[in-house]
Amino acid sequence: MKALEAVRAVRGWHPSQQALRLVVLLGPLVALLAAAPAGHGPAPWIVGVVLLLSVLWAARPESGGGTLALLLVLFWWTRVPDDALHPAVLVAAVAVVLSHLAAVVSAAAPPRTPVDPAVLRLWMLRGAAVLLAAPVVWVLARALRDQAAPDLLWPAALLAALLVVVALGLVLERREEAP
Amino acid sequence: MSAQGWEPTGGLVRAVVVGVAGLVWAVVAGEPALLVLTAPLLLAATAAVVRRPRSTPSVWGTVDRASLHEGQGAVLSLDLADTDPDDVEQVTRVLAAAPFERAEPAAGHVSVLRRRADDVQVVVSPRRWGTRTLGEERVALTSPWGGFRWGPVVVPGRTVRVLPSAAYTSRAESPQPRGLVGAHRSDRPGSGTEVAGIRAFQAGDRLRRINWRISVRTGVLHVTTTRAEQDAGLLLVVDLYAEHGTSGGVDGAASSLDLTVRAAAALAEHAVRTGDRVALRPIGGRSRPVPPGSGRRHLRRVLGTLADVRTGSAPYDDASRLDLRVGAGTTVVVLTPLLVDAVATTAANLVRRGLPTVVIDTLPPDARPQPGDSDPVLVDIAWRMRRIEREQVRTALDAIGCPVVAWRGPGTVDEVLRRLAHRRPHAGAAP
């Protein structure tokens, strides 16, 4: 009975919301399954857990289900042998970003509300912009992986990355405040 | 309407948690792939934090109409006062669902970029007369990059009087017009424009009335006579004892009260348009009478009173107490489902006084009482008996010269009024 009610509720959603939430649902699964070509296919149990969390996320885009689903995806990618810099990780990155942005857009309004095409265009542009970071990091990581790294390289890189983020934030903030 | 401050969205929390976790995990575990996966989320989260809003919004809703007819639409506007335009990227409005209201677009569910918010109008259309609260909605604002959300807050609506639709045009004459001026053809000759006949010239006739063609042909002066034009009055008696049937709004099924109110509104509109005086006398229920008057302003008063009528369970007025104080030259239209004897008695008394009286039967053909906790079979039998009694009342009224017609929209009363107009007034007609 509850399943029937759920199906009825989903059918009451606006088609644009249904499409967005389908992207939310499929994103973590695609990101997880992309680990298979990289050499470590996901175990059935993790596929099941991620699927459940994704369903929760698609139904309630503001819930913590999405965070848990994405953290599980990250966990599985740590188990991929070597350094997991297979091109499939880029597919996983696209899936993660798409599901995250689809959840952000769909959470802005109740499910019966149609998604404004202008809102969708704006977020597609934003998605394309932030996705550029993935191939840049991937190329850098592949270029540096054969070189012997000093012990402090990664912590230094982390510190540098954080500093860049903070500096970028401050620059953008000042630009916002400028008349 | 101002409310709590901006709150981080679930999307921002997710991007920060997954992004930072991926970054730290990548460094600690030496897994650059995690950085590939989470770097875009970190960038999105950074942009959202940088563009965090700082102003405190105030939202006010407005409705562009103070009153409107059922079926018409009112535009609901949203005023984002004291809100920095850069703080709000997306505006989400969800109109509260209300009976007998239709909203466009998407049933009042709108979520658009702020720069387009003025272009997308939310229009709400009340589908039934009455006093309604239009424009109650929940509003949420989202900051750039979806980082923070304000609301949803409830923006209260505005009380609007929804007037009954009044589309009715009749070409029928008033049965007994009285007075000095007006638009109705009188029984008496006078200086109107309607030709009454041609007769021989008499002392006092105006020269411009001479019909030269007839005069030349007969060799005797003849004049063309016309009928006087006089005003008339209309008294609308509305029965508010109970509502029968189900209302589906202006484009659905009509209850007895719907038919009563809409028919009264249409008749009042027509009377005012033709320059007649119109008065309203509710019986039963809760409403105030409207004294005779004419003009658009008076019509608005009548329609406003009709929009506010309520049925009531007050004890039935005794027929003798229903003193309608009807003057000569007034046509009485009684709008009733004919289920209260006092109303039929009142109509019969008016007819006996010689006043032209028409009863409009407003009982929907498919009206059925709700059995509630009672035995449905008994309720059905009682209802059938009541309908038989009703038919007897209709027949009795018709027999004493009070036509009873069912309201079928425009033109229903025309034929009856025409027949009444051609009847001579009773000997004992009111002066």
Side-chain angles (χ1 to χ4, degrees), chain B residues 249-287:
Chain B
V250 71
D251 37 17
S255 68
S256 64
L257 196 59
D258 283 344
L259 289 174
T260 299
V261 167
R262 287 176 190 143
L267 290 166
E269 165 106 16
H270 170 67
V272 167
R273 204 185 301 147
T274 53
D276 291 344
R277 289 166 284 116
V278 61
L280 182 69
R281 173 67 162 90
I283 51 176
R286 283 176 292 162
S287 188

Side-chain angles (χ1 to χ4, degrees), chain A residues 9-123:
Chain A
V10 170
R11 289 178 71 177
W13 294 354
H14 193 271
S16 57
Q17 288 275 358
Q18 289 175 341
L20 273 183
R21 288 162 195 252
L22 187 64
V23 173
V24 175
L25 174 69
L26 294 178
L29 288 174
V30 171
L32 189 66
L33 293 171
H40 192 66
W45 68 267
I46 198 166
V47 173
V49 174
V50 168
L51 178 63
L52 278 177
L53 290 170
S54 300
V55 169
L56 174 65
W57 190 19
R60 298 177 185 275
E62 290 276 278
S63 71
T67 306
L68 292 176
L70 295 183
L71 287 176
L72 277 176
V73 170
L74 295 188
F75 163 73
W76 195 256
W77 273 93
T78 61
R79 301 190 61 178
V80 173
D82 300 328
D83 51 10
L85 285 175
H86 190 274
V89 76
L90 292 174
V91 175
V94 171
V96 166
V97 171
L98 281 182
S99 57
H100 169 70
L101 296 187
V104 169
V105 175
S106 58
R112 285 179 58 199
T113 310
V115 179
D116 184 29
V119 172
L120 208 57
R121 270 196 301 276
L122 177 70
W123 280 100

Side-chain angles (χ1 to χ4, degrees), chain B residues 12-190:
Chain B
L12 176 62
V13 172
R14 181 172 60 245
V16 168
V17 170
V18 175
V20 171
L23 185 64
V24 173
W25 206 341
V27 172
V28 172
E31 291 285 352
L34 298 190
L35 210 54
V36 176
L37 288 171
T38 56
L41 296 187
L42 264 182
L43 281 179
T46 305
V49 171
V50 167
R51 297 288 306 273
R52 69 183 179 279
R54 291 179 176 80
S55 63
T56 305
S58 292
V59 177
W60 302 100
T62 54
V63 182
D64 71 339
R65 308 279 287 271
S67 73
L68 69 168
H69 286 276
E70 53 185 346
Q72 291 182 330
V75 177
L76 309 178
S77 305
L78 204 62
D79 183 14
L80 301 176
D82 304 328
T83 309
D84 186 345
D86 291 337
D87 281 354
V88 180
E89 178 178 273
Q90 195 171 344
V91 179
T92 302
R93 305 172 63 182
V94 177
L95 204 68
F100 302 114
E101 277 184 25
R102 186 181 295 167
E104 293 290 340
H109 287 55
V110 177
S111 186
V112 292
L113 296 177
R114 178 177 178 161
R115 62 170 184 268
R116 287 193 64 232
D118 293 336
D119 301 336
V120 180
Q121 291 187 331
V122 176
V123 179
V124 64
S125 171
R127 312 309 292 175
R128 197 187 184 208
W129 53 271
T131 303
R132 308 201 169 276
T133 302
L134 296 187
E136 184 171 306
E137 58 184 325
R138 284 181 298 140
V139 176
L141 309 176
T142 308
S143 71
W145 285 87
F148 295 85
R149 183 162 301 125
W150 182 85
V153 295
V154 176
V155 176
R158 177 176 172 183
T159 303
V160 171
R161 184 176 272 172
V162 182
L163 306 176
S165 60
Y168 171 57
T169 305
S170 171
R171 299 175 71 86
E173 303 158 9
S174 180
Q176 292 177 26
R178 290 288 187 275
L180 298 176
V181 293
H184 293 285
R185 191 181 66 178
S186 169
D187 293 337
R188 294 180 285 120

